[in-house]
Amino acid sequence: MNRIRLLPEQVANQIAAGEVIERPASVVKELVENALDARPARVTVEIQAGGRGLIRVTDDGVGMSRDDALLCLERHATSKIQRAEDLHLIRTMGFRGEALPSIASVSRMTLTTREREGDTAATQVIIHGGKLLEVKAAGSPPGTCLEVRHLFFNLPARRKFLRSDETEYSHIHHYLTLAALAYPEVAFTFTKDGRSIWQLPAVA
């Protein structure tokens, strides 16, 4: 009897999530970096309960087609590189194609996206714990909105090690401050538990 076997995709994604996603701030970082790579004019971040209840990152960037919206949830699917030589020419923040499937495997995630160019409808993908539940057309402005709810809902041991809401919030706030300073040409809005923390206009 063979003792070595391939892990199911869902288990592999949860293991990868342990390397990519340490806390809610890790999710915010990955989603905001993806948003910034989409060349937006504005990025909006909303959180609830220190990010463990809700993280929603919305941008008005280039958006994705229906096919790309589905493909981006597969491991190692990326628009950033195509061959090994491209690693020397990277101008984006992410390129491995692991963040979104990792996040999706440990949360209840909804992706809504619409291409900036063209007249196609938006696509909405709902995925819980790595399981694809629904793909449908939706009404949405151009750009992408990623909503992550109940982080680590299916990994109670990981959820138990999260700190207080205020501590997790402070990590998110720190990262977003650095991102906003690094990208002054992008307008940033940050909302916590329904209350506006700051709205930073773009600086040319």
Side-chain angles (χ1 to χ4, degrees), residues 142-158:
T144 300
C145 175
L146 267 156
E147 184 177 283
V148 175
R149 293 185 179 272
H150 309 131
L151 186 63
F152 300 135
F153 79 97
N154 53 351
L155 293 175
R158 292 288 303 279

Side-chain angles (χ1 to χ4, degrees), residues 32-101:
V32 168
E33 287 183 355
N34 276 351
L36 291 170
D37 282 342
R39 304 188 301 278
R42 172 175 297 279
V43 173
T44 300
V45 179
E46 304 166 67
I47 66 167
Q48 292 176 9
R52 75 186 78 204
L54 168 70
I55 297 168
R56 182 186 294 120
V57 176
T58 306
D59 68 68
D60 60 355
V62 296
M64 289 182 281
S65 67
R66 177 187 174 95
D67 288 345
D68 282 350
L70 290 168
L71 195 55
C72 79
L73 297 168
E74 300 289 336
R75 288 184 73 198
H76 310 304
T78 179
S79 63
K80 315 296 173 61
I81 61 172
Q82 295 182 12
R83 51 190 185 155
E85 290 79 5
D86 295 341
L87 291 171
H88 301 291
L89 305 170
I90 289 173
R91 296 290 182 270
T92 58
M93 285 181 284
F95 62 90
R96 293 184 306 161
E98 287 204 283
L100 287 184

